[in-house]
Every structure is written in structure tokens, then in C-alpha cells.
Amino acid sequence: MVDGGIMKADKTEFRELVKMAWGNPYVMRLALSAGIGGFLFGYDTGVISGALLYIKEDFHSVKTTTWLQETIVSMAVGGAIIGAAIGGYINDKFGRKKSILSADVVFFVGALIQAIAPSPWVIIVGRFFVGLGVGMASMTSPLYISESSPAKVRGALVSTNGLLITSGQFLSYLVNLAFTQAKGTWRWMLGVACLPALIQFVLMLSLPESPRFLYRQNKIDEARVILKKIYPSDEVEKEMNALAESIESEKADESEIGDNLIAKLKGAFRNDVVRRGLYAGVTVQVAQQFVGINTVMYYAPTIVQFAGFASKSTALALSLVTSGLNAVCTLISMALVDRLGRRRLMIVSMMGIIFFLVSLSVVFMEASADAPKISSFESAHFGANSTCPAYATALHPSNWNCMSCLKAKCGFCSNPSSKFLPGSCLINEENSNMKSSCKAENGVFFESGCPSRFGILAVILLAAYIIVYAPGMGTVPWIVNSEIYPLKYRGVGGGIAAVSNWSCNLLVSETFLTLTQHLGAGGTFLLFAAISCVSLYFIYRFVPETRGLQFEQVEKILEQSYKPTCFFSGGDDDHHNTSSKGTV
């Protein structure tokens, strides 16, 4: 991320990167040390999905209170919004290195608080601190990498930050699986995050400040020393001159538009080109979240349980597939984004997302309708005091099935002969021991979802959803936001778009379980599909193709109202397509 945008890489840069890994390992050390911030980001977004399953076991109030589960998950996002906001200030005031070190300390403290938390509210406090660290790291790590990398491999090195994010998510699922049988389960899952934060802190202590920040602080000799370690000796003065020219240009822009946030925001919204760029940039960032991706990242094991897999370890293992696919398909995006174009890739991705969201909706609705019935005989078998009170007093108990039982906050014990046959609806209260009683009768106790013949199909569709999401809507919105704004407004434009992304992330993660409670999993995915249809129209209407264009060419497209000519246009026609009919 450079001044609010994400650098991208081409094949040449990756080839140069391989050469540099052998020729100048110091640069790789800089990039990978800072990139641990992206790893922390990914680990935190993935680990809570598995930890939540076990937190519910230890705290009955969490199991019975949907908004408490949502708050535990989403509080880190709330902290990240604040962390990203203050991260920019810390970057400019104290430097990139100190900002990363501060993020590590805050993240370490947050992970430790979560690991030793005696109550749900303490977990929430820990989640907030972890979110602060994540938000600061998400702003600073890519910036430090980009400012401490040779120009010819800069895009490739910054791209590794995104790869480390998805790698962190994948590893978090592995860690979750590793601790399923350990005493303390979720405490270990959340506490392990202390280690990478501590490792990065130690590594960063021995690394320098970014040369760009040093130069801005008039520490020119120190900046030259760092550049000598990064560039061949015959290129150092050339880079020093380029750095001086870039910073002088930056200062000139600040004098023109103001160096405080309020002045920059006013200037951005008064400028037609920037405003139209924001229509495009914010559209793709909001769309990225409202397709429901972070419900999968934060609640994947819970969704798998909705599909009928009662075992926590099975749910975690199946969730590992979605996380792995996300990491692999992020690599595919690097190969496709410059070949197919940003606009076309997003449109195709959105169409696939809509198709699989609708398919998931249908499968979950069918699974709900096909849920096993409740047998009064099987329920009575465990004793009158064990039967779910709502079922025992129901006017039409013969109409009840497993889903009715779960909606009444009770548990379904499957029939010992077959989990698809009528089973029992039992109380599911703290210290009720119904789970062990059900297991003793060779049954399986279901709390989040019902036995379903469609379960494996739901997991396959979830995986397909990730496959079409990751190469398009997963990575392209960030690339678009690095290219859509004039240089002088790139920081403020990218910042507005990033805050929009985080805010929508918070909204979606804070409401997902409540939506499933009222609409069912099928209705919730159908709602995301409907919002995705609206998002697809806005992407088609407001987002031009920026592949291969100079910033000046993008400005020319946005000077007048952008009007697309072809739904699947890769951009060649749109590059020169402007219209004088009306304004946006």
C-alpha cells in the first residue's frame, strides 16, 4: 500500500524477485519481517471462527446470546477501524518502524488478554486490542515494504503481503485443528497469536526506518545508508535524486490541497474527478464485503455446522478447505488481473458469486425442509425433565422437526439407527448433561444445524463460492483503488475506500448470526445474493477499466460522466469512452 493504494506486480517483477532473494537477502529480510503484520491480520480473521465453537462451550451466556457471539467476532473489526485511522497519524508522526513495533505490542497484549480471559467481556476487550494492532499493521506493513524495496521488485514484494494475509488465515485453521483436543482449546488458539507478534517485534528492532520517512525528517545521510544496502552502489545517487523529487512533489501537493485531513476531504469532494473516482473505489470496496465473504472467514465452521456436521473437529477440517482455496486463488488473481482486466474480472467474479449464493440458499432451504422430525417417543425416552419445554407445551408437536427444536434453543439428539430418522428434542442448558446422555444412547447431539443429506453439497458450493470470489472481488477492489485517484488525492481516496470496507465488514460480521436466526441460513445467503445483484449493477455503471493506464489517462476518463459501452468490456473500448451527457 503506497499512499492509500496497493502495488501490483507483473511476471517480470516476480522473476527479478527470485534473483534478488539470492543476490540481496537483506531486502527480503526487510519485506518478510514487515509482512508478518499481514500474517497477523490473516491469522486473527481466521482463528476466531474455530475458537468461537469452544468459547460457546465454556460460557453458556455466549452459546445462548447471538449478539454476544457476533460482538466477540466483530469487535476486532471495530478496533481495526480505529487502528487504521490512528495508524496513518503514527506513520507520519513517529515513522513506519515505530508504528509496526507499536502494533506488535498492542496485538501481543490483546492476544494475551484473550488467552487468559475469565469472562466473555474480557475476551471482547482483548479482541478490541487485537483489532487495533491489526488496523495499524494493515496500514503500515505494505507502506514500509514499498518504501524499503527496489522499484523493479516493489510490486512483487508488496503483493507478498496479501499472500501472507491468506497464509495467516490458512495457518489459523491448522492451529484450530491442532488444539481441538487440548485442554483450554480456544485459549491456545487465540493465545498462539502472541508468538508471531513477538517474532516481528524482535526482528523489527534490528531493522531501519524507511528511507522515505528518514528523508522527510531531513535525515538525509541516514536515508542514504539504508539505500546503499538496498540498491547497487551505482544506483544509490539516482534513487536519492528520485526520492528528493518525489518528496518535493508531495510537499507541493500538500501546500495546494492542505496537509490536514479536513482540508483534503473538502478538496476531494469538490473535485469532480476525485468524486467520480470515489464512486468507483467505494463501490467495489462495499461490494467486496456485502457479498458476505467475511461471514465465511469469521463463521466458516459455524456455517459447516449449519450444513449438518455436528463434530467441531469435522467442521474445522472442512473449513480448512475454504481457507486453502482462498490462498491458492489469490495467487491465480496475480496471473489474471493484468491479462483479463480489472472490470471484466470483477464482473465475472460477481456473476459467479451470485450464482453460488443462490445455490447455497436453495440447498440450505431444502436442508431445513428435509430436517428429521421430532419423535415424542424418542424424546420421552430421556425422561420428562429432559424434554425441551417448548416442544412439551407445543400445540402441534407433530409438526416439529429438528429446525423447530433448534429455533427453540434446544438440542436435537439423532435417532441411534439413523440420524435422518425422527429423533429427540432435549433441553440444552448449562449442566444439563444432555449431550453426554445422547452420546451414551449412540446418538449425535446437534446444536447449530440439523442432519442433512445436502450437507456435503453445501460445503462444495461454499468452496466454489471462494473459488470465484478470491481471484476477482477478493483482490481487484484494492488494485482499483490504487489506480482510480489522481496522485495528489491517492492517500485520502484510498483511506475513504478502506474505511468503507472496514465499516461494511463490521456491519456484516455483527449481524450474520442474527440474520440466520431470523431468516435461516438459506434466507441469509439469498439476501447476500440480492445485495450482490445491486452491487454488480453499480460496478458495471461506475467502475471503468484501469488496466495499463497512466494516472493521467484515468483522470481523462473520469473528467466527464463515465458511460460503459459493453457489459464484459475488458477496457480497451472504455479507455476513451467518455460522455458529455449529464454528470455523475
Side-chain angles (χ1 to χ4, degrees):
M1 184 178 294
V2 184
D3 296 333
I6 284 193
M7 299 280 299
K8 57 186 183 300
D10 57 25
K11 294 178 182 177
T12 303
E13 288 189 11
F14 281 109
R15 284 195 293 267
E16 290 290 338
L17 182 61
V18 173
K19 293 180 183 177
M20 180 160 289
W22 293 99
N24 189 356
Y26 181 77
V27 174
M28 293 300 296
R29 180 185 165 197
L30 287 173
L32 293 177
S33 297
I36 295 175
F39 180 87
L40 290 173
F41 181 6
Y43 185 89
D44 180 69
T45 58
V47 73
I48 192 60
S49 62
L52 184 64
L53 301 180
Y54 296 92
I55 292 172
K56 289 190 290 184
E57 277 193 349
D58 281 7
F59 300 109
H60 188 71
S61 59
V62 177
K63 182 165 71 174
T64 57
T65 311
T66 300
W67 68 265
L68 198 52
Q69 296 175 40
E70 292 169 330
T71 303
I72 288 173
V73 170
S74 62
M75 185 52 68
V77 181
I81 295 173
I82 297 174
I86 65 174
Y89 171 78
I90 296 174
N91 277 332
D92 292 338
K93 184 71 174 177
F94 302 104
R96 290 45 162 150
K97 178 179 175 178
K98 289 182 179 178
S99 183
I100 291 175
L101 291 172
S102 300
D104 287 330
V105 171
V106 173
F107 193 99
F108 183 91
V109 170
L112 194 61
I113 290 173
Q114 290 177 102
I116 63 174
S119 69
W121 291 107
V122 179
I123 297 176
I124 290 171
V125 171
R127 294 288 296 158
F128 179 78
F129 274 94
V130 162
L132 279 176
V134 164
M136 292 167 66
S138 71
M139 287 289 295
T140 311
S141 292
L143 188 62
Y144 181 88
I145 295 170
S146 69
E147 293 181 352
S148 305
S149 306
K152 60 183 177 182
V153 295
R154 186 171 296 146
L157 284 173
V158 176
S159 294
T160 62
N161 186 68
L163 186 60
L164 283 167
I165 291 174
T166 54
S167 299
Q169 290 171 339
F170 182 73
L171 184 65
S172 72
Y173 283 94
L174 287 176
V175 170
N176 283 346
L177 268 176
F179 287 112
T180 53
Q181 302 301 322
K183 185 178 180 181
T185 54
W186 61 270
R187 297 184 185 276
W188 286 104
M189 294 172 182
L190 298 174
V192 162
C194 288
L195 292 178
L198 182 61
I199 290 170
Q200 185 180 41
F201 185 87
V202 173
L203 289 174
M204 289 302 300
L205 284 176
S206 63
L207 293 177
E209 180 55 81
S210 95
R212 184 181 185 86
F213 178 78
L214 290 172
Y215 199 103
R216 276 215 65 148
Q217 300 299 308
N218 291 320
K219 298 178 180 180
I220 298 173
D221 291 338
E222 291 182 40
R224 181 179 281 105
V225 169
I226 305 306
L227 289 175
K228 285 180 179 179
K229 295 182 179 181
I230 297 173
Y231 289 91
S233 57
D234 59 335
E235 295 182 21
V236 173
E237 287 308 314
K238 176 184 174 183
E239 290 303 319
M240 285 292 292
N241 293 334
L243 194 58
E245 184 179 337
S246 173
I247 289 174
E248 286 304 314
S249 175
E250 188 178 276
K251 289 180 178 178
D253 287 340
E254 287 176 358
S255 64
E256 180 183 339
I257 65 176
D259 58 357
N260 65 79
L261 181 61
I262 301 300
K264 289 179 179 178
L265 287 173
K266 286 181 178 178
F269 285 105
R270 288 172 181 166
N271 186 304
D272 289 343
V273 171
V274 179
R275 191 174 66 253
R276 290 167 187 152
L278 283 170
Y279 292 155
V282 172
T283 288
V284 295
Q285 293 287 34
V286 170
Q288 185 191 65
Q289 293 303 317
F290 279 146
V291 299
I293 182 58
N294 277 319
T295 63
V296 178
M297 291 295 105
Y298 296 144
Y299 298 106
T302 302
I303 294 172
V304 172
Q305 286 193 327
F306 288 162
F309 296 92
S311 167
K312 293 180 179 63
S313 57
T314 301
L316 286 170
L318 291 173
S319 301
L320 187 63
V321 175
T322 62
S323 180
L325 285 170
N326 191 32
V328 171
C329 291
T330 299
L331 287 172
I332 294 173
S333 176
M334 294 179 184
L336 294 179
V337 70
D338 282 321
R339 180 176 298 178
L340 298 181
R342 291 84 165 109
R343 176 180 162 83
R344 179 183 290 143
L345 200 53
M346 284 191 293
I347 288 175
V348 171
S349 178
M350 285 296 294
M351 287 181 166
I353 286 167
I354 292 167
F355 175 80
F356 288 115
L357 282 174
V358 171
S359 300
L360 275 167
S361 175
V362 171
V363 166
F364 276 108
M365 286 179 179
E366 285 296 316
S368 179
D370 192 51
K373 295 287 187 180
I374 302 299
S375 165
S376 57
F377 173 77
E378 291 291 335
S379 298
H381 171 71
F382 289 91
N385 292 333
S386 300
T387 303
C388 175
Y391 172 71
T393 58
L395 294 176
H396 304 288
S398 60
N399 294 335
W400 274 50
N401 64 11
C402 172
M403 291 302 299
S404 312
C405 180
L406 298 189
K407 287 179 180 177
K409 299 189 181 301
C410 294
F412 177 80
C413 180
S414 66
N415 192 300
S417 301
S418 171
K419 62 183 180 181
F420 302 116
L421 293 175
S424 314
C425 187
L426 308 175
I427 60 174
N428 188 22
E429 297 174 356
E430 195 171 12
N431 301 321
S432 65
N433 296 320
M434 283 298 98
K435 188 181 295 186
S436 56
S437 298
C438 175
K439 186 177 180 180
E441 295 289 333
N442 297 318
V444 178
F445 198 72
F446 291 84
E447 302 174 85
S448 300
C450 295
S452 171
R453 295 179 177 86
F454 303 100
I456 193 64
L457 178 58
V459 174
I460 291 171
L461 289 172
L462 203 61
Y465 165 84
I466 292 292
I467 289 172
V468 298
Y469 166 85
M473 291 306 298
T475 55
V476 179
W478 296 102
I479 295 174
V480 168
N481 272 279
S482 73
E483 300 172 332
I484 201 72
Y485 311 109
L487 283 172
K488 68 178 71 173
Y489 286 104
R490 192 161 36 148
V492 67
I496 292 171
V499 170
S500 301
N501 184 286
W502 280 110
S503 299
C504 293
N505 184 339
L506 177 63
L507 178 62
V508 170
S509 59
E510 182 66 38
T511 58
F512 176 68
L513 293 179
T514 299
L515 287 172
T516 58
Q517 197 172 50
H518 290 87
L519 303 177
T524 301
F525 284 118
L526 190 61
L527 176 62
F528 285 136
I531 296 174
S532 296
C533 288
V534 177
S535 299
L536 175 59
Y537 168 76
F538 276 90
I539 290 172
Y540 164 72
R541 176 63 184 84
F542 291 115
V543 184
E545 179 56 66
T546 57
R547 177 185 55 158
L549 296 183
Q550 299 295 326
F551 290 110
E552 293 77 12
Q553 292 174 293
V554 176
E555 286 186 49
K556 198 169 183 179
I557 292 174
L558 296 174
E559 280 176 0
Q560 297 181 9
S561 178
Y562 170 71
K563 186 177 180 181
T565 56
C566 176
F567 200 78
F568 285 105
S569 173
D572 292 337
D573 294 335
D574 288 346
H575 287 176
H576 308 288
N577 179 31
T578 57
S579 171
S580 58
K581 297 178 181 179
T583 57
V584 176

